[in-house]
Amino acid sequence: MITEYNRKLILEDGSEYYGYAFGDVSQRVCELVFNTSMVGYQEIMSDPSYTDQAVVMTYPLIGNYGMAKEDYETEIPTIGGLIVREYNDFPSNFRSEASLAEVMKTYKIPGICGIDTRKLARSVRDYGSRKVLITDASTPLTEGLRILAESGIPTDGVSRVSCKEIWSICPETPKYHVAAIDCGMKKNIIHSLYQRGCKVTVVPWDTPASVIESLSPDGIFISNGPGNPADVPQVIETVKALRGSYPIFGICLGHQIISIAYGAKTYKLKFGHRGGNHPVRNLETGKIEITSQNHSYAVDTDSLKETELTVTHINLLDQTIEGVKCDKDNVFSVQYHPESAPGPQDSTYLFERFIKRMEEGKCNA
């Protein structure tokens, strides 16, 4: 039985949290965030939007159902680290093919367990997301603070997690052709389109509009991804060039990119939205959707008023914008993840809306 702590976290304010290692034991500086989901740690660990972030799981028990091949959101996880209260290394699940720690070792992802995640999550809530050092328990505080002061959070996450070349997935009898701009797209988004009869052609994040047009798509999808939307001006310019010519649907980072393309501004939230329990009001129907979210940035309300976009959804926890549309250009987007099914079916209509708009476009062609 382990009796002495062998790992710790050092925050910029000098606070230290001691615990035990699981996964990789490398030292790493990350952005500290928390997630309130009760299940889905595999999807969280493999979501490209968590690139360079150390995620505090507020649900206390993690690892108990192992890891299944079908549940990955990306083939090569890029999360910065995982911080949990209690880690279970003996999963009980007939689908499990490996433990969480084994997978984290494979992809060099450090983990730490045994800390007070409630206290740490409150710290992030009260003081905001900030840098954290995952290190050995013997690292002196002064050395850890020096490392934090000299380290920055990378801003090239999208370029690192996006695909490097164009590829496609196609059902036997495709009804529609979607060109999906990959800014760090989750696999389940591709599956959601594929299951609705779409051939999905995935293109790298910096693919020019002219190349996308040469694919002759029926619609354009802008994906989720890590970081600040201002760091990907290439995608913003692509949306500007394509809007009005094709139905366009954006999710998460794609929502922010679309908003900026129309002239709105974005800002960084104090601690972001991460979890599968955010209530969102659909302003067009009045219904409340329970949504899954993972983002640090939000669209500025005042700047949006000066654009051609209309607000369609509002977060009931903090009144931030959760959805926009431009009927003239056949463009719409949401900040949350309808493919994650937290409702579980509250938001799947968004994919049906995209399908309907592509169908209308084909009929009018």
Side-chain angles (χ1 to χ4, degrees), residues 310-329:
T310 301
V311 178
T312 58
H313 298 75
I314 291 291
N315 190 303
L316 294 181
L317 299 180
D318 59 9
Q319 303 302 305
T320 51
I321 294 172
E322 292 285 351
V324 298
K325 69 174 183 177
C326 178
D327 289 332
K328 176 177 70 69
D329 290 340

Side-chain angles (χ1 to χ4, degrees), residues 6-34:
N6 56 16
R7 299 288 279 173
K8 72 176 177 180
L9 307 174
I10 299 178
L11 277 60
E12 292 178 277
D13 61 6
S15 57
E16 298 175 288
Y17 293 78
Y18 287 84
Y20 308 106
F22 73 97
D24 192 57
V25 291
S26 57
Q27 179 171 278
R28 186 169 299 179
V29 174
C30 305
E31 180 185 19
L32 182 66
V33 301
F34 66 82

Side-chain angles (χ1 to χ4, degrees), residues 55-227:
V55 181
V56 181
M57 299 298 297
T58 61
Y59 189 75
L61 178 61
I62 301 297
N64 54 307
Y65 54 82
M67 305 287 280
K69 183 178 180 180
E70 296 84 1
D71 296 340
Y72 284 94
E73 292 289 4
T74 188
E75 292 181 1
I76 302 177
T78 53
I79 189 173
L82 201 58
I83 303 166
V84 308
R85 174 59 182 171
E86 181 181 351
Y87 170 68
N88 185 316
D89 202 37
F90 302 96
S92 177
N93 177 6
F94 74 95
R95 296 177 64 243
S96 177
E97 299 167 316
S99 71
L100 174 58
E102 289 171 337
V103 172
M104 290 173 64
K105 286 179 182 178
T106 299
Y107 296 107
K108 309 299 182 184
I109 301 168
I112 182 170
C113 64
I115 69 169
D116 188 343
T117 52
R118 294 176 300 177
K119 180 180 179 181
L120 185 55
R122 286 196 299 268
S123 174
V124 176
R125 181 196 64 189
D126 294 342
Y127 302 107
S129 301
R130 53 207 190 277
K131 288 185 291 186
V132 63
L133 174 66
I134 305 174
T135 187
D136 189 84
S138 63
T139 302
L141 177 59
T142 53
E143 174 67 7
L145 292 174
R146 182 192 65 78
I147 294 171
L148 285 171
E150 295 177 356
S151 302
I153 302 299
T155 60
D156 62 344
V158 169
S159 65
R160 283 185 280 132
V161 300
S162 176
C163 63
K164 306 309 177 188
E165 57 185 24
I166 297 174
W167 65 278
S168 297
I169 181 172
C170 185
E172 290 187 9
T173 55
K175 299 178 181 178
Y176 315 98
H177 182 199
V178 176
I181 300 178
D182 180 11
C183 297
M185 184 158 46
K186 296 165 65 178
K187 281 186 175 181
N188 203 27
I189 292 176
I190 299 173
H191 293 160
S192 296
L193 293 168
Y194 175 83
Q195 291 168 357
R196 288 169 171 82
C198 295
K199 173 185 177 181
V200 183
T201 299
V202 182
V203 304
W205 70 285
D206 56 352
T207 302
S210 59
V211 174
I212 295 174
E213 290 177 311
S214 72
L215 301 172
S216 300
D218 299 312
I220 310 294
F221 177 79
I222 319 295
S223 86
N224 64 292

Side-chain angles (χ1 to χ4, degrees), residues 246-283:
Y246 307 88
I248 298 180
F249 177 28
I251 287 176
C252 199
L253 183 66
H255 161 76
Q256 299 160 19
I257 288 170
I258 286 172
S259 298
I260 293 175
Y262 276 86
K265 297 179 180 179
T266 58
Y267 64 97
K268 190 170 185 179
L269 295 165
K270 184 177 181 181
F271 50 82
H273 295 162
R274 295 175 181 86
N277 47 13
H278 284 256
V280 167
R281 183 184 298 278
N282 184 328
L283 300 180

Side-chain angles (χ1 to χ4, degrees), residues 226-237:
N228 186 342
D231 292 333
V232 287
Q234 297 93 326
V235 191
I236 295 169
E237 291 304 314

